Amino acid sequence: MKPTELSGLPDGVADHLEGEGIEELYPPQAEAVERGVTDGENVVAAVPTASGKTLIAELAMLSAVERGGTALYIVPLRALASEKKTEFERWEEYGIDVGVSTGNYESDGEWLGSRDIIVATSEKVDSLVRNGAPWIDDLSCVVSDEVHLVDDRERGPTLEVTLAKLRRINANLQTVALSATVGNAGEIADWLDAELVDSDWRPIDLKTGVHFGNAINFADGSQREVPVDSGGKQTPALVDDTLDEGGSSLVFVNSRRNAESAASRLGGVTSDHLTDEERGELRELATAIRDVSDTATSDDLAECVAKGAAFHHAGLSSEHRDLVEGAFRDRLIKVIAATPTLAAGVNTPSRRVIVRDWRRYDPEFGGMKPLDTLEVHQMMGRAGRPGLDPYGEAVLLASNNDTKEELFDRYVHDEPEPVRSKLAAEPALRTHLLATVASGFANTREELLSFLDNTLYAVQSAGSAQLESVTDTVLDYLAANEFVEREDGTITATEIGHTVSRLYLDPMSAAEIIDGLRDAEGGRSGGQYGSRGAMDAGDADESAGFVSGNELLDDDPLADTDSEAGDEPDDQLTDDADDVSALGLYHLVSRTPDMYQLYLKSGDREEYEEVLFERETELLGRTPSEYDDVAFEEWLAALKTARMLEDWASEVDEGRIAERYGIGPGDIRGKVDTAEWLLNAAERLAGELDLSNVVAVREAKKRVEDGVREELLDLTGVRGVGRKRARRLFEAGIESRADLRDADKSVVLGALRGTKTAETILENVGREGPS
């Protein structure tokens, strides 16, 4: 099928596709058209990576716009949202307006109503529904990318419930779901009342196999000789072999530390394959990476990049990841050693994928556990870029014949596991049941159960007993904490319940915050269960948050976070406002389910017990007994997280924080963003409950947002003035906005170290004649 044979698309689109070199649609794309994807029919496309899923989505969305509708494209990651927006913007010359929205969970996104195609994460779409975005009612097409992630314990329930709500709002909504090849694609299609395109076709050949001895043994029985030197290191040999043919490699390992050490070693391989021009470009790239943050992680990454290698994991900042991914796509970086997060949809194909580590530590399992087949297949699918690579290779590593056979059985020959709903668990249902009531989707127990019948869980369950039981437990919890009221069989959200839903908080987080703020005023929580009512210890562990801090909020493009060394925090630092200390508030939000706490290492307990002894009076709420090991260790882990936030808000150098807590710049940014969001929610809740400590909460939020001590808050309120610039201005005698408007320009210039920067900031503060 040729693009020019397609009907129902905006004028010029078909010719544009041919201009991009698409002479014929791929077989899965043609099948999707035959099954009605351009005619408004629901379609599930379960096809391998790089087999044209995105074009299937574009055909659905563009035809929906041509019919006068609006299309929504749901992605699992913010980084993927930006990537897809850029990709879809090529249709703007044909009158298609594209918008993207990923942060600010309190917004109704009204401005998005003027866009034809909207790209957003599932969490953002969920929040838009909760906040009554008016354009949601007018959607005619929704595309769910990576829909197999409904199997994910953290993000899956949000995607599942959001799709159910969108289909409930608009009965005629076209639903297109894109998935990797999974074991039960037909079940997903049944759930969405969709036609199924289930294919293993790829545009270029993907050869999968296991390296053992001195050769790759492929699934088709062929071999490729890749000798290993006397040191027995398979990965460098495979990377070197790929480079000999001009290809790039992705190496998947099971931890951050392994990613960094592997990249460092592989730099010795890639450096021998670089041209002089590439060396120069890589030196410039390494400088840009160092400029992102003053941390050892930044320096280590830059050293690897200068040699043509890189590592990739969640501890990197978003700027680091963007630089690395872009250079890898341009084939400037020759190899990336990555944790499995890189396999989750970001466009980073390579000639050869090497799955070095196929086990990772699982605390529930109690040791190293083999990865799921679906996850390894996702990694393998990164191999081979259409148009650039003649083929792709995915290779697992075995050190003996028994392991080789196990890897063939488990990953090469076996089919991916079926996708299973993770909805019927209290942590997942807490937030979604409250939102369902607050949004008006259901106002009785029967209506709630009826709504849940639209989920994948209902399709997969033989009966509803488990879901009914969990629903009743969660409703008891919501009522006990005064988020809902029940009367004569009717369930309604209270005013505070509506606020919690709009703020996109886990109700347990809200209860914890309210309990702590009331405790600071000498009162107790109104709920009979307090913040953990109706949830046992196992459930509390399970509720470690449904979205990581790195995904919560968009980074501030003007954030000035490459801080210089600052003073150490005063161990007794407190705020004047209401005698509630910043540390107490940071600890309060750090112990909520919505904050991923820093890991309490074996040597940390004694240190933080001492901190607890010194500063326990600042903490909000009762310290658990040290004989309750789980609760007490969680309390200390929250205290460690709070101390990190206090360091940040006391202008301690970013590199020093990273070294002190054993984390990367991405972790720091993620914790800061999450704390800012939770403190904003705490401020709203304190105001609504008429609590006097709202001012203290607001100040703690602002300090963590700007990363400064109290005396710099006025200066950091000026756009473009971050923690580093504010401190330099303050030390030059400029202590406020008023001072900045009146100060001698030479003093301002000396502090800001750049004419253009100084002029922009003076203009932003409202100074006349800023030149």
Side-chain angles (χ1 to χ4, degrees):
M1 181 181 293
K2 298 180 182 297
T4 50
E5 297 175 21
L6 297 171
S7 60
L9 299 175
D11 291 340
V13 167
D15 292 332
H16 183 101
L17 291 173
E18 287 204 336
E20 291 181 339
I22 302 175
E23 297 178 1
E24 293 274 347
L25 297 185
Y26 290 159
Q29 296 167 343
E31 185 178 351
V33 172
E34 291 168 359
R35 294 188 178 278
V37 78
T38 57
D39 299 320
E41 296 295 327
N42 297 341
V43 172
V44 169
V47 297
T49 301
S51 298
K53 290 195 292 285
T54 299
L55 183 58
I56 293 173
E58 289 180 306
L59 294 177
M61 294 189 297
L62 291 169
S63 59
V65 172
E66 180 66 8
R67 292 192 298 271
T70 301
L72 174 64
Y73 190 94
I74 301 177
V75 294
L77 302 172
R78 286 193 315 170
L80 197 56
S82 300
E83 182 181 301
K84 291 301 180 184
K85 177 181 183 290
T86 301
E87 190 173 349
F88 298 155
E89 282 176 338
R90 73 190 195 280
W91 304 119
E92 289 185 344
E93 64 179 288
Y94 304 102
I96 307 296
D97 291 324
V98 181
V100 64
S101 184
T102 56
N104 188 6
Y105 289 153
E106 294 177 69
S107 167
D108 66 4
E110 187 173 356
W111 66 274
L112 292 168
S114 63
R115 302 298 191 266
D116 299 306
I117 294 176
I118 299 154
V119 184
T121 59
S122 55
E123 289 81 16
K124 178 60 182 179
V125 178
D126 185 20
S127 76
L128 289 166
V129 173
R130 297 185 190 199
N131 284 280
W135 53 269
I136 291 286
D137 294 345
D138 301 324
L139 281 177
S140 54
C141 174
V142 60
V143 176
S144 177
D145 197 3
E146 309 284 344
V147 75
H148 54 273
L149 290 178
V150 295
D151 190 77
D152 184 88
R153 185 184 299 275
E154 293 165 5
R155 284 195 174 87
T158 297
L159 175 59
E160 184 177 346
V161 169
T162 298
L163 287 175
K165 285 182 178 178
L166 291 175
R167 299 181 71 220
R168 175 85 168 262
I169 291 169
N170 188 340
N172 297 316
L173 181 69
Q174 179 187 15
T175 304
V176 177
L178 311 177
S179 172
T181 303
V182 295
N184 61 335
E187 202 167 42
I188 296 174
D190 288 343
W191 166 43
L192 298 174
D193 302 314
E195 296 289 322
L196 176 63
V197 177
D198 193 1
S199 172
D200 58 5
W201 183 90
R202 283 177 55 98
I204 60 173
D205 187 31
L206 173 63
K207 301 185 71 176
T208 59
V210 178
H211 185 276
F212 170 58
N214 290 306
I216 305 172
N217 303 274
F218 289 110
D220 61 6
S222 64
Q223 281 192 336
R224 178 185 177 101
E225 187 176 345
V226 183
V228 177
D229 61 25
S230 57
K233 300 295 185 183
Q234 295 166 285
T235 304
L238 287 163
V239 170
D240 191 52
D241 181 67
T242 311
L243 287 165
D244 284 340
E245 294 193 350
S248 60
S249 300
L250 273 176
V251 180
F252 285 105
V253 297
N254 59 10
S255 71
R256 297 183 186 186
R257 182 176 297 178
N258 284 340
E260 293 178 11
S261 60
S264 179
R265 287 194 301 271
L266 292 171
V269 177
T270 55
S271 61
D272 294 337
H273 292 266
L274 300 174
T275 65
D276 290 341
E277 182 180 354
E278 287 175 331
R279 291 180 195 279
E281 292 179 20
L282 286 167
R283 281 194 296 269
E284 292 180 8
L285 180 60
T287 299
I289 284 172
R290 281 193 175 91
D291 288 343
V292 170
S293 71
D294 298 326
T295 60
T297 299
S298 209
D299 289 338
D300 292 345
L301 180 60
E303 286 182 16
C304 292
V305 164
K307 298 177 182 179
F311 53 84
H312 189 292
H313 55 59
L316 297 181
S317 70
S318 58
E319 293 94 336
H320 282 144
R321 293 195 296 269
D322 289 344
L323 288 168
V324 167
E325 291 165 13
F328 186 72
R329 284 193 291 267
D330 294 338
R331 297 289 169 103
L332 182 59
I333 290 176
K334 309 300 181 184
V335 62
I336 293 179
T339 53
T341 52
L342 189 62
V346 181
N347 182 25
T348 50
S350 64
R351 174 75 59 82
R352 178 176 281 164
V353 166
I354 302 163
V355 183
R356 196 195 79 175
D357 299 337
W358 52 279
R359 294 186 181 95
R360 69 164 161 248
Y361 181 74
D362 185 327
E364 292 184 11
F365 183 73
M368 302 298 287
K369 182 181 179 181
L371 300 176
D372 289 343
T373 304
L374 176 58
E375 187 171 4
V376 171
H377 282 205
Q378 283 287 92
M379 299 176 193
M380 291 176 162
R382 300 281 118 198
R385 184 193 301 188
L388 289 178
D389 291 321
Y391 60 89
E393 285 183 357
V395 185
L396 295 119
L397 308 185
S399 57
N400 56 61
N401 195 63
D402 288 344
T403 302
K404 183 187 80 169
E405 295 303 320
E406 180 181 359
L407 292 176
F408 267 107
D409 290 343
R410 184 184 293 276
Y411 298 119
V412 178
H413 296 315
D414 201 12
E415 293 297 317
E417 300 86 359
V419 168
R420 305 295 300 178
S421 169
K422 299 297 188 292
L423 185 60
E426 289 176 12
L429 279 181
R430 272 198 309 265
T431 182
H432 293 300
L433 286 187
L434 176 59
T436 300
V437 172
S439 303
F441 281 92
N443 292 112
T444 65
R445 178 181 181 275
E446 290 69 28
E447 288 175 357
L448 277 171
L449 294 172
S450 175
F451 169 74
L452 292 172
D453 277 342
N454 298 315
T455 63
L456 177 62
Y457 179 84
V459 171
Q460 294 180 328
S461 301
S464 60
Q466 182 185 356
L467 195 58
E468 288 188 29
S469 174
V470 178
T471 296
D472 288 338
T473 301
V474 170
L475 285 175
D476 288 343
Y477 175 82
L478 296 175
N481 283 282
E482 301 174 0
F483 297 138
V484 300
E485 294 176 341
R486 293 183 287 191
E487 186 175 354
D488 298 329
T490 300
I491 305 169
T492 56
T494 62
E495 186 175 347
I496 202 72
H498 277 287
T499 299
V500 170
S501 178
R502 287 194 298 269
L503 289 170
Y504 209 69
L505 282 176
D506 184 327
M508 185 180 280
S509 293
E512 187 85 52
I513 290 169
I514 292 169
D515 218 29
L517 293 177
R518 282 178 167 162
D519 179 74
E521 296 202 341
R524 289 303 306 153
S525 170
Q528 83 180 73
Y529 298 121
S531 61
R532 298 280 178 178
M535 305 292 172
D536 63 28
D539 293 322
D541 287 343
E542 190 119 5
S543 65
F546 50 84
V547 57
S548 69
N550 287 348
E551 295 294 321
L552 282 167
L553 299 169
D554 286 323
D555 293 331
D556 178 1
L558 284 176
D560 185 12
T561 58
D562 53 335
S563 61
E564 296 179 327
D567 294 333
E568 292 295 318
D570 182 344
D571 277 348
Q572 298 302 325
L573 182 67
T574 60
D575 293 319
D576 293 334
D578 306 310
D579 295 322
V580 178
S581 79
L583 180 75
L585 291 167
Y586 299 153
H587 183 258
L588 176 61
V589 299
S590 292
R591 63 183 195 246
T592 65
D594 282 319
M595 172 71 84
Y596 282 129
Q597 300 167 349
L598 293 177
Y599 179 66
L600 196 68
K601 299 175 184 176
S602 57
D604 287 342
R605 178 159 178 153
E606 184 176 345
E607 176 185 350
Y608 286 98
E609 282 181 345
E610 185 175 339
V611 175
L612 177 62
F613 175 76
E614 292 174 352
R615 306 187 65 179
E616 185 172 13
T617 57
E618 296 179 54
L619 306 186
L620 310 181
R622 289 189 295 269
T623 300
S625 166
E626 59 186 292
Y627 299 107
D628 185 349
D629 282 343
V630 173
F632 189 65
E633 290 227 345
E634 285 183 353
W635 194 264
L636 292 181
L639 182 56
K640 180 179 179 179
T641 309
R643 284 277 284 177
M644 189 228 85
L645 294 169
E646 185 184 48
D647 280 356
W648 172 258
S650 301
E651 301 170 60
V652 175
D653 176 71
E654 187 179 14
R656 203 166 190 176
I657 293 173
E659 181 181 1
R660 177 177 292 167
Y661 296 96
I663 55 180
D667 300 305
I668 296 172
R669 189 71 252 171
K671 296 291 181 289
V672 167
D673 284 348
T674 306
E676 180 188 339
W677 165 58
L678 290 170
L679 287 165
N680 178 67
E683 181 186 352
R684 290 281 301 278
L685 292 169
E688 198 156 310
L689 294 169
D690 199 26
L691 301 177
S692 63
N693 42 37
V694 64
V695 176
V697 178
R698 184 181 304 128
E699 184 176 291
K701 177 193 73 173
K702 187 63 177 169
R703 285 187 55 199
V704 91
E705 177 184 354
D706 295 344
V708 296
R709 291 176 177 269
E710 181 182 354
E711 67 262 26
L712 297 188
L713 288 177
D714 193 40
L715 285 172
T716 55
V718 179
R719 184 173 175 81
V721 178
R723 65 199 311 240
K724 180 170 66 175
R725 291 171 182 160
R727 179 53 64 187
R728 290 204 300 262
L729 286 167
F730 192 89
E731 290 174 349
I734 300 170
E735 300 182 2
S736 66
R737 301 186 198 204
D739 290 347
L740 191 52
R741 281 190 287 268
D742 297 334
D744 186 283
K745 289 182 180 177
S746 64
V747 177
V748 176
L749 183 60
L752 295 178
R753 303 175 184 176
T755 303
K756 185 173 179 60
T757 298
E759 288 180 353
T760 300
I761 287 173
L762 288 176
E763 183 178 353
N764 290 343
V765 81
R767 179 156 177 167
E768 294 184 11
S771 173

